[in-house]
C-alpha cells in the first residue's frame, strides 16, 4: 500500500533531555564545535524532510562520524513516534525521532544556538 503522508508526535520534555545526552556523548567522542538536531512534529508529506542533523568540525571525518552516531542514537532513544497514513485512509504505527540544538563548546555562539529544535508545520 502506498504511504500518503506521515505524522510525528513526541514527549518533548523527555526528548529534550535525551537530545542533550546525545550531544554530550558526541562531544566526548569527537572534536566537534557545533551539533544541531531537529525533527519535525505533526504532518509530513512524503518526500519532505522530517529530520536534520548537522555537526561542524575542523575535520570532515569526525563531523560525518558524529552525524552518523547522532541519527542512530536519535532513532533508538528519543521519544518521538511516527504514524504512516495510506491511500485507504488507515494509519499504522512506526519508529522514533525528535530535535534539539546544542551550542558550541568554549562559548562559541552558545546563546544563539541553544534550545529545542522542534519543527511544527502550521497548515
Amino acid at each position: 500500500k502506498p504511504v500518503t503522508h506521515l505524522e510525528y508526535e513526541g514527549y518533548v520534555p523527555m526528548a529534550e533531555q535525551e537530545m542533550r545526552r546525545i550531544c554530550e556523548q558526541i562531544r566526548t567522542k569527537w572534536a566537534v564545535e557545533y551539533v544541531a538536531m531537529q525533527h519535525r512534529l505533526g504532518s509530513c508529506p512524503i518526500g519532505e524532510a522530517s529530520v536534520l542533523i548537522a555537526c561542524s568540525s575542523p575535520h570532515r571525518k569526525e563531523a560525518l562520524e558524529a552525524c552518523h552516531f547522532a541519527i542512530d542514537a536519535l532513532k533508538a532513544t528519543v521519544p518521538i513516534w511516527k504514524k504512516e497514513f495510506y491511500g485507504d485512509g488507515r494509519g499504522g504505527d512506526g519508529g522514533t525521532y525528535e530535535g534539539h540544538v546544542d551550542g558550541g563548546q568554549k562559548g562559541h555562539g552558545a546563546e544563539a544556538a541553544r534550545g529545542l529544535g522542534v519543527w511544527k508545520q502550521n497548515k
Side-chain angles (χ1 to χ4, degrees), residues 15-100:
E16 287 180 312
Q17 180 180 353
E18 185 59 26
M19 299 291 266
R20 285 186 184 95
R21 191 183 69 78
I22 292 168
C23 289
E24 290 168 10
Q25 288 178 320
I26 288 170
R27 292 194 187 289
T28 63
K29 295 181 181 194
W30 296 278
V32 297
E33 292 191 30
Y34 295 96
V35 177
M37 288 186 263
Q38 190 172 38
H39 199 289
R40 189 173 190 161
L41 294 180
S43 184
C44 181
I46 299 302
E48 288 191 15
S50 59
V51 67
L52 172 134
I53 294 182
C55 298
S56 68
S57 172
H59 304 285
R60 106 182 88 187
K61 183 179 180 186
E62 288 185 332
L64 291 171
E65 288 174 354
C67 283
H68 184 90
F69 172 84
I71 190 69
D72 287 347
L74 185 75
K75 291 170 71 173
T77 64
V78 178
I80 294 225
W81 300 275
K82 175 177 73 175
K83 188 171 185 179
E84 296 178 344
F85 288 84
Y86 307 100
D88 61 7
R90 295 189 351 223
D93 293 330
T96 307
Y97 303 90
E98 193 190 67
H100 170 75

